[in-house]
Amino acid sequence: MRKHRLFACMIIVFTLAFCLVGQAMAQELRQKLTQESTLEQVLKRGVLRVGFSTFIPWAMKDKTGKFIGFEIDVARELAKDMGVKVEFVPTKWSGIIPALLTGKFDVIIGGMGILPNRNLKVNFTTPYDYSGMSIVANKKKAEGFDSLDAFNKEGVTIAARLGTTAAQAAKKFFPKAEVRLFDDESQALQELMTGRAHAVVSSAPLPAFHALKYPKRLFLPIKGTFTKEPIGFALRKGDIDTLNFFNNWILVKKHKGWLQEHKDYWFGTKDWEKLIK
């Protein structure tokens, strides 16, 4: 009987010891993950590095060379609330996710649509905005085109930016047309202006802005957008603390109306045009 009791006591002691060691290891792992999180590194560094690509009016340069736009406002406000400075890292859209994964910046805040294939490589926050694709066409080249179907035929050329959801939408909605992809949006628009493309597919409101800017040469064959997609911050995988902070920041800014207020300014007015002209 005594042997059995002794054996039982030994099992209890070993079990307790194992649990304590396990808890200590788990606590150590949690502390290590916290210390290595992007959030912690940003706070230690005192600088939030933001990757983006220029899209009017998401992000662009004003007359003095300073970055302005909806995404720029979002990034500046996020950094301010974190108590750090912001460093903008302009990057070609086609290579922006690889640049994030290699640590060239901490987060992508650049109108990036939340897509399953992208989500395989990065984590996305809850949506802080919604966007959609629109189309602007050349008046002479696309005369009489008044529907999406009119562009979906052989002999039609559609231009879009490489690596964007606009490029995916162009291929999906116009499979019979020739889709030409360019590294920069300005190159796609140049194709349109010179008549080498019938239309350009891009995120709203850029097509509408260009139709207003060049009313004698360009027009909108359809009103509004023909897709809708959620937009989120993109960050490296395995970083729960940073993802949690970003999600809650977006939640707070939505409820306070800050995000809507700034979107209304950049997408609902043209008051900012004086800053770039």
Side-chain angles (χ1 to χ4, degrees), residues 4 8 15 61 91 109 126 177 191 267:
H4 288 299
T15 301
K61 283 187 177 181
T91 307
I109 303 179
T126 185
E191 289 290 293
F267 292 86

Side-chain angles (χ1 to χ4, degrees), residues 266-277:
W266 291 105
F267 292 86
T269 77
K270 298 189 75 175
D271 296 342
W272 48 267
E273 279 198 333
K274 61 182 179 290
L275 302 175
I276 61 174
K277 288 184 177 180

